[in-house]
């Protein structure tokens, strides 16, 4: 099993460009999450999907949109990238439909916005 | 909103020395989780604590959850070079939709 797979691994965007980060899990987990990680700030939740068909805002949702395409896939879209969105983005999944279940993380996407 | 503070930010130890990182929440927590992230890697789940005063051990790692469920600690006995990485706590509030990560403690171990 691959676990949680994220693509791409690296991306450089210019201010104003758009892109979608892809995430898929093969563990049949109900819940999926998108976090960003910045130096000295730990991981901050952008959006999560407790179950297929639902999405909710996390701590830092501004500038992002998400789609829970099916039970396996959860994508994150930046419509108009800004330098403040330079970060490492992690997708995660958990078995139970509540925050507080152990999270399984993907390998991350390192995004630079110039 | 809920805040989770973690100290220290960095810790450098000689191999064989002990290491402790502390996590403090501004509010009472439903549970707390600990993760380890190796340099260049992704966070990996270590353990979850749920009960007041709970203590759990994993080999050389000891995890504690405070009696008031507002603080937690991770203690590593006799560190090894394989312990290098950043250790994060993540606390879940009682409304079940607000789990906040601490900023992490970065551990380096000198052989």
């Amino acid at each position: 099993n691959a676990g949680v797979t994220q693509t791409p691994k690296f991306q450089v965007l210019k201010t104003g460009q758009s892109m979608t980060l892809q995430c898929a899990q093969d563990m049949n987990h109900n819940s999926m999450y998108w976090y960003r990680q910045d130096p000295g700030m730990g991981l901050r939740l952008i959006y999560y999907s407790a179950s297929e068909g639902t999405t909710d805002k996390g701590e830092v949702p501004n500038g992002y949109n998400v789609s829970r395409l099916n039970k396996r896939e959860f994508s994150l879209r930046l419509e108009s990238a800004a330098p403040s969105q330079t970060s490492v983005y992690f997708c995660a999944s958990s078995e139970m439909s509540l925050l507080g279940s152990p999270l399984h993380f993907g390998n991350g996407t390192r995004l630079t916005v110039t | 909103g809920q805040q989770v503070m973690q100290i220290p930010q960095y810790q450098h130890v000689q191999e064989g020395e002990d290491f402790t990182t502390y996590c403090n929440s501004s509010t009472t927590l439903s549970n707390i989780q600990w993760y380890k992230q190796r340099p260049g890697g992704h966070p990996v789940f270590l353990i979850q604590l749920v009960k007041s005063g709970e203590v759990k051990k994993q080999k050389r790692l000891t995890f504690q959850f405070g009696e008031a469920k507002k603080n937690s600690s991770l203690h590593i006995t006799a560190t090894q070079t394989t312990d290098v990485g950043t250790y994060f706590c993540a606390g879940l509030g009682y409304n079940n939709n607000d789990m906040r990560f601490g900023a992490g403690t970065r551990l380096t171990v000198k052989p």
Side-chain angles (χ1 to χ4, degrees):
Chain A
N1 287 345
V4 179
T5 303
Q6 288 182 237
T7 57
K9 293 184 178 180
F10 301 95
Q11 184 72 49
V12 178
L13 293 177
K14 294 183 178 180
T15 297
Q17 288 185 318
S18 62
M19 79 161 295
T20 299
L21 281 65
Q22 308 287 351
C23 176
Q25 52 92 9
D26 62 3
M27 296 174 283
N28 200 36
H29 283 172
N30 290 307
S31 302
M32 298 185 74
Y33 314 82
W34 276 104
Y35 285 89
R36 61 178 287 172
Q37 184 174 34
D38 302 294
M41 299 189 72
L43 293 121
R44 293 182 292 168
L45 182 63
I46 304 171
Y47 270 93
Y48 69 99
S49 171
S51 60
E52 187 178 353
T54 68
T55 61
D56 286 285
K57 294 179 180 179
E59 185 182 355
V60 288
N62 291 345
Y64 306 94
N65 286 299
V66 291
S67 296
R68 184 75 183 265
L69 304 171
N70 47 56
K71 190 172 185 178
R72 291 186 64 249
E73 298 173 287
F74 189 39
S75 63
L76 177 72
R77 182 160 178 85
L78 286 70
E79 289 292 351
S80 179
S84 61
Q85 294 178 305
T86 293
S87 188
V88 180
Y89 291 85
F90 287 100
C91 177
S93 70
S94 66
E95 184 175 5
M96 296 171 63
S97 296
L98 286 173
L99 285 178
S101 309
L103 299 172
H104 298 257
F105 286 87
N107 288 331
T109 296
R110 187 174 294 274
L111 174 67
T112 302
V113 183
T114 61
Chain B
Q2 174 186 310
Q3 299 292 330
V4 176
M5 306 299 293
Q6 194 172 351
I7 57 171
Q9 189 174 0
Y10 302 98
Q11 186 77 56
H12 178 73
V13 300
Q14 191 78 32
E15 188 173 21
E17 292 181 336
D18 292 356
F19 159 76
T20 305
T21 174
Y22 300 91
C23 189
N24 295 291
S25 170
S26 58
T27 60
T28 303
L29 299 171
S30 171
N31 64 50
I32 195 159
Q33 297 175 1
W34 285 91
Y35 292 81
K36 177 184 178 180
Q37 184 176 23
R38 295 183 186 275
H42 59 275
V44 175
F45 175 76
L46 294 176
I47 208 160
Q48 178 169 282
L49 305 172
V50 180
K51 299 177 182 177
S52 170
E54 189 169 15
V55 177
K56 288 188 175 180
K57 293 189 176 183
Q58 290 180 348
K59 297 182 180 179
R60 295 177 295 103
L61 277 61
T62 302
F63 303 85
Q64 294 188 350
F65 202 9
E67 293 290 341
K69 300 184 72 173
K70 296 181 74 173
N71 57 72
S72 182
S73 65
L74 158 59
H75 179 81
I76 302 178
T77 303
T79 55
Q80 301 175 0
T81 55
T82 53
D83 295 324
V84 164
T86 301
Y87 293 85
F88 293 97
C89 62
L92 177 68
Y94 270 97
N95 59 7
N96 278 358
N97 64 1
D98 191 7
M99 186 166 80
R100 296 293 176 98
F101 278 79
T105 296
R106 183 177 175 185
L107 173 66
T108 56
V109 180
K110 184 177 182 180

